[in-house]
Amino acid sequence: PVGAAKSLYNKKDYLSAEKAFAALDQKSPDVAYYYGLTLYQNKKFNESIDKLLAASILDSAGYLKARDTAYSIFLNNVFKEPKSSKNYNSVVKETNDLMNSDIAELQKAWNDKYADKELSEEEAKQAEADKTALDKSISKIRKDTEAYQLGLKKAADAAFERLIDDTRKRLGLK
């Protein structure tokens, strides 16, 4: 029966594979793993994560990547940033894009004012002072972006750990 279900999965008949895996022993890490992959293909992300975590819990040595796969699915499809309801990776990309845009804008303003220009001694001193201020601004933008992303990552990690705990309880494990 497991072979038949895997065969359906390998043939990319995910709907039939899902039904076949659902009928099998859910305490089998092999079943849980392929069932999780099948559910993912059927865009049933929460259920997919649960099965992949079960596989990793039931046989951590045999299914080393199952937990990582579940985490990736979680970040890309399940976890949402509380304010925007966008997925984690989208928010990280957006904040990086904003950071880079802000830095480029600041750098362009400095370049437009000072780069490739003949500067008097006084202007050169001002350019140096402005460059120091620019570097501080860029550093602050980076720090603020990193702090926000770290906070978001911690929230995602805590939510994922709760899913692991829930899966352990469902399996009757501590």
Side-chain angles (χ1 to χ4, degrees), residues 51-87:
K51 297 302 179 190
L52 291 167
L53 287 175
S56 74
I57 291 166
L58 293 168
D59 184 1
S60 59
Y63 294 90
L64 292 170
K65 293 189 177 186
R67 185 180 189 277
D68 292 341
T69 301
Y71 187 65
S72 178
I73 294 167
F74 177 73
L75 288 181
N76 285 306
N77 301 286
V78 176
F79 180 77
K80 303 294 182 199
E81 191 271 342
K83 292 179 184 172
S84 69
S85 295
K86 294 180 180 176
N87 75 46

Side-chain angles (χ1 to χ4, degrees), residues 142-155:
R142 285 193 171 120
K143 277 175 111 175
D144 290 349
T145 301
E146 288 169 9
Y148 173 76
Q149 290 176 352
L150 181 61
L152 187 62
K153 178 88 164 73
K154 285 181 179 179

Side-chain angles (χ1 to χ4, degrees), residues 41-56:
Q41 293 297 332
N42 291 334
K43 303 206 181 313
K44 296 180 179 179
F45 302 122
N46 288 312
E47 297 92 334
S48 171
I49 291 166
D50 181 62
K51 297 302 179 190
L52 291 167
L53 287 175
S56 74

Side-chain angles (χ1 to χ4, degrees), residues 10-11 15 40 57 76 82 85 90 112:
N10 290 331
K11 291 178 184 173
L15 292 175
Y40 170 76
I57 291 166
N76 285 306
S85 295
S90 293
D112 288 348

